């Protein structure tokens, strides 16, 4: 039988108040506090904390505090990834980010979702859908990436967008809901 954690990662309905998950979130919050309370010149402390916090990371991950996430362990980032101030990643399901990706301030990445059926919601059951962001993507300030979305390589997402559906490679897309506004030729 699957544990609640295994169900969560697999995108199935799970109980978020399972003791193992509560403990994982608590550990994550201690690491976030250490990171977010660090001083600007405590580079080594920040890097060491990020190594413990983020599941898999390439070289040169740079995150401006404050940063928030649910588990950290479900985040995979490639090389040269940058998060500006106040980004939120609800990594209930995996969040996979490619190389050389820029996140402007206040970007929010939500894999977490809840049943639309109120009776299921009131039982405390929830689920999550994986998010994949390709390489060389730039996500503008305040954008919200909704559960299950994939964003293709080299694409630009405009500030304030709500990305509810997949966005292909090599486009500029913006708005709520986020739509392609032009194609990029390189
Ligand atoms: C790490 C960091 O990133 S820190 C920097 C933080 N900065 C940002 O977040 C800025 C993000 N930049 C944007 O959102 C820009 O508007 C861009 C990149 C999307 C502009 O892309 P361009 O292709 O140059 O779009 P352009 O300015 O020509 O606008 C084209 C149309 O899209 C609209 N548009 C542009 N940006 C947006 C947006 N964010 N939301 C909604 N509509 C938009 C324009 O109003 C215009 O509409 P119109 O044709 O009806 O007049």
């Amino acid at each position: 039988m699957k544990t609640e954690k295994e169900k969560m990662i697999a995108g199935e309905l799970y109980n978020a108040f399972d003791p193992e998950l509560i403990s994982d979130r608590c550990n994550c919050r201690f690491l976030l506090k250490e990171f977010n309370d660090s001083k600007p010149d405590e580079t080594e402390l920040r890097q060491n904390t990020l190594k413990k916090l983020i599941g898999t990371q390439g070289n040169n991950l740079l995150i401006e505090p404050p940063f928030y996430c649910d588990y950290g362990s479900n985040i995979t980032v490639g090389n040269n990834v940058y998060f500006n101030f106040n980004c939120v990643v609800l990594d209930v399901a995996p969040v996979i980010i490619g190389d050389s990706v820029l996140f402007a301030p206040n970007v929010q990445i939500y894999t977490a979702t809840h049943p639309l059926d109120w009776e299921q919601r009131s039982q405390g059951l929830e689920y999550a859908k994986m998010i994949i962001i390709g390489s060389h993507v730039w996500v503008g300030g305040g954008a919200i990436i909704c559960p299950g979305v994939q964003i293709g390589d080299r694409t630009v997402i405009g500030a304030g967008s709500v990305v509810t559906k997949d966005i292909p490679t090599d486009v500029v897309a913006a708005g709520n809901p986020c739509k392609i506004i032009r194609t990029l030729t390189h």
Side-chain angles (χ1 to χ4, degrees), residues 82 84 102-105 138-142 156-161 172-176 181-182:
Y82 177 70
N84 211 322
L102 296 174
F103 296 98
W138 172 32
V139 182
V156 175
I157 304 294
S161 297
V172 178
N176 177 9
I181 56 178
R182 66 191 184 90

Side-chain angles (χ1 to χ4, degrees), residues 51-174:
K51 277 193 186 119
K52 289 185 228 159
L53 180 69
I54 304 294
T56 307
Q57 58 180 284
N59 298 319
N60 302 324
L61 171 62
L62 184 53
I63 302 183
E64 305 286 359
F67 174 78
Y68 302 98
C69 59
D70 268 334
Y71 296 94
S73 53
N74 297 323
I75 303 174
T76 298
V77 297
N79 297 313
N80 307 314
V81 171
Y82 177 70
F83 284 88
N84 211 322
F85 308 109
N86 213 33
C87 289
V88 175
V89 182
L90 300 186
D91 60 321
V92 175
V95 173
I96 317 279
I97 296 165
D99 295 324
S100 304
V101 178
L102 296 174
F103 296 98
N106 296 307
V107 170
Q108 303 183 51
I109 299 174
Y110 300 155
T111 64
T113 186
H114 297 275
L116 298 184
D117 180 287
W118 70 269
E119 284 176 309
Q120 276 189 325
R121 253 197 332 270
S122 62
Q123 287 164 31
L125 292 174
E126 55 184 78
Y127 66 110
K129 297 182 192 171
M130 178 160 62
I131 290 176
I132 302 177
I133 298 173
S135 291
H136 306 282
V137 168
W138 172 32
V139 182
I144 299 176
I145 316 294
C146 288
V149 159
Q150 297 193 22
I151 298 174
D153 292 343
R154 300 172 296 277
T155 275
V156 175
I157 304 294
S161 297
V162 179
V163 189
T164 57
K165 297 202 168 121
D166 292 354
I167 304 291
T169 59
D170 300 296
V171 297
V172 178

